[in-house]
Amino acid sequence: REARTSMSLFSRSTHGVQLTPVGQKLYPEARKLLQQAEVVEDLLAQDSVYEAPVKLAISPTIAEFILPKMLVELEQQHKTHLALELSTSISRSARASVRSGNADLGIVAKDTGDAELDGLKEVPFFDCEIVVAVPLKHPWAKLKEIPLDLFLETPLVVRDPSANSRRVVSAKMDELGLELAPPVAELGDTKTVIETAVAECAPALLARIAVDHFAEDVVSRHVEGLRFPRQFVIVLPNSKEALAANARSLLRHLFIAHPSIPQE
């Protein structure tokens, strides 16, 4: 671009065009730019560049403890980059997002209150029970199981009432006609529950996968004769044709990556 540089890059004569000394210096760099431009054009020509990210509505537990490791494994296994747009939400909100098309798939805890699927489909993902997270210095850490009467009379650190794990525990307690002691604290996220439990040396109720993640601080224990089972599910449109190709591809990867998912 001679006009931009205000320098003469070419020497023109009746014998042809030759590079000036300045042009000769710039020529190698210009070649690099042209080669890079070709690389960019090749990338833009690939269909994958234009694929919109898969929109996932997922629970905080999935976002924190499951998805990161799984995505790394998927990329290593399939040698492909998965573009994702994530939003964390409770079960009902995730279903609403999938139903409205604001999310392609949802991965959330199954909620017994969500009886109406309304054109949606649930695929079992994995089981993740709620357990007692016991700080290592707490006396319960030495027990194999916690006596029921001791569990019922001891204040615990728990999630806030809107959390699925809290609703699972409450539903089971109501079913058995049992009642927990007033809590030490009701908190909004897993990490804060763990930190509070350790600081107060008080047991907490959390998903087992979260307790295992913080094994340096707490151990998981069951209560004698009492279990809090819970299942995570993949929520998707009832018709597979309603899924974009990249969402269907991710769904296949999830089936392969997690052996507890039924193969269809």
Side-chain angles (χ1 to χ4, degrees):
R1 301 293 186 183
E2 291 178 301
R4 293 185 184 178
T5 61
S6 299
M7 297 180 185
S8 179
L9 303 179
F10 302 97
S11 174
R12 299 169 178 85
S13 70
T14 56
H15 299 291
V17 179
Q18 291 183 329
L19 290 169
T20 66
V22 173
Q24 290 176 353
K25 289 182 179 180
L26 290 176
Y27 178 74
E29 300 304 320
R31 285 297 305 162
K32 292 178 184 178
L33 291 174
L34 288 172
Q35 290 170 355
Q36 190 61 38
E38 291 174 358
V39 171
V40 172
E41 287 179 0
D42 289 342
L43 286 173
L44 291 174
Q46 297 175 13
D47 292 340
S48 60
V49 171
Y50 297 102
E51 285 186 357
V54 181
K55 294 177 287 186
L56 286 180
I58 58 179
S59 77
T61 298
I62 295 293
E64 189 171 359
F65 303 112
I66 296 294
L67 197 62
K69 181 174 182 290
M70 180 172 289
L71 291 179
V72 170
E73 292 173 349
L74 289 177
E75 292 201 9
Q76 290 174 343
Q77 180 180 357
H78 299 281
K79 298 180 180 179
T80 182
H81 175 69
L82 299 172
L84 299 177
E85 182 180 307
L86 303 179
S87 63
T88 58
S89 58
I90 62 174
S91 176
R92 294 184 181 93
S93 296
R95 282 172 172 77
S97 294
V98 176
R99 187 177 295 115
S100 66
N102 290 326
D104 298 303
L105 301 169
I107 308 178
V108 294
K110 187 176 181 65
D111 195 324
T112 54
D114 296 330
E116 186 58 53
L117 288 178
D118 234 1
L120 299 178
K121 171 172 153 178
E122 286 184 350
V123 180
F125 190 40
F126 73 100
D127 295 326
C128 182
E129 65 178 336
I130 308 302
V131 297
V132 184
V134 182
L136 298 180
K137 294 181 180 180
H138 193 278
W140 289 3
K142 298 179 181 179
L143 303 176
K144 289 185 177 181
E145 284 194 321
I146 303 163
L148 178 59
D149 56 349
L150 189 58
F151 172 73
L152 296 177
E153 68 185 28
T154 301
L156 307 171
V157 181
V158 295
R159 289 291 306 277
D160 63 273
S162 67
N164 178 271
S165 60
R166 179 72 179 276
R167 295 200 305 274
V168 166
V169 171
S170 296
K172 175 58 69 172
M173 299 298 284
D174 290 344
E175 176 188 326
L176 298 176
L178 301 175
E179 188 174 352
L180 293 174
V184 173
E186 298 177 307
L187 303 168
D189 65 90
T190 298
K191 185 178 180 182
T192 306
V193 169
I194 291 289
E195 291 174 346
T196 302
V198 172
E200 299 293 331
C201 198
L205 288 170
L206 282 175
R208 177 162 199 147
I209 194 168
V211 179
D212 291 344
H213 185 80
F214 292 98
E216 293 182 357
D217 300 310
V218 293
V219 293
S220 63
R221 292 290 183 266
H222 288 114
V223 179
E224 289 178 354
L226 185 59
R227 294 293 185 272
F228 303 111
R230 182 172 64 158
Q231 184 182 67
F232 280 88
V233 296
I234 299 175
V235 180
L236 63 155
N238 201 37
S239 170
K240 284 188 177 180
E241 286 68 28
L243 283 176
N246 54 351
R248 291 198 302 270
S249 178
L250 175 60
L251 192 56
R252 285 195 298 271
H253 293 337
L254 291 174
F255 283 134
I256 293 170
H258 208 291
S260 72
I261 301 177
Q263 304 294 317
E264 293 188 343

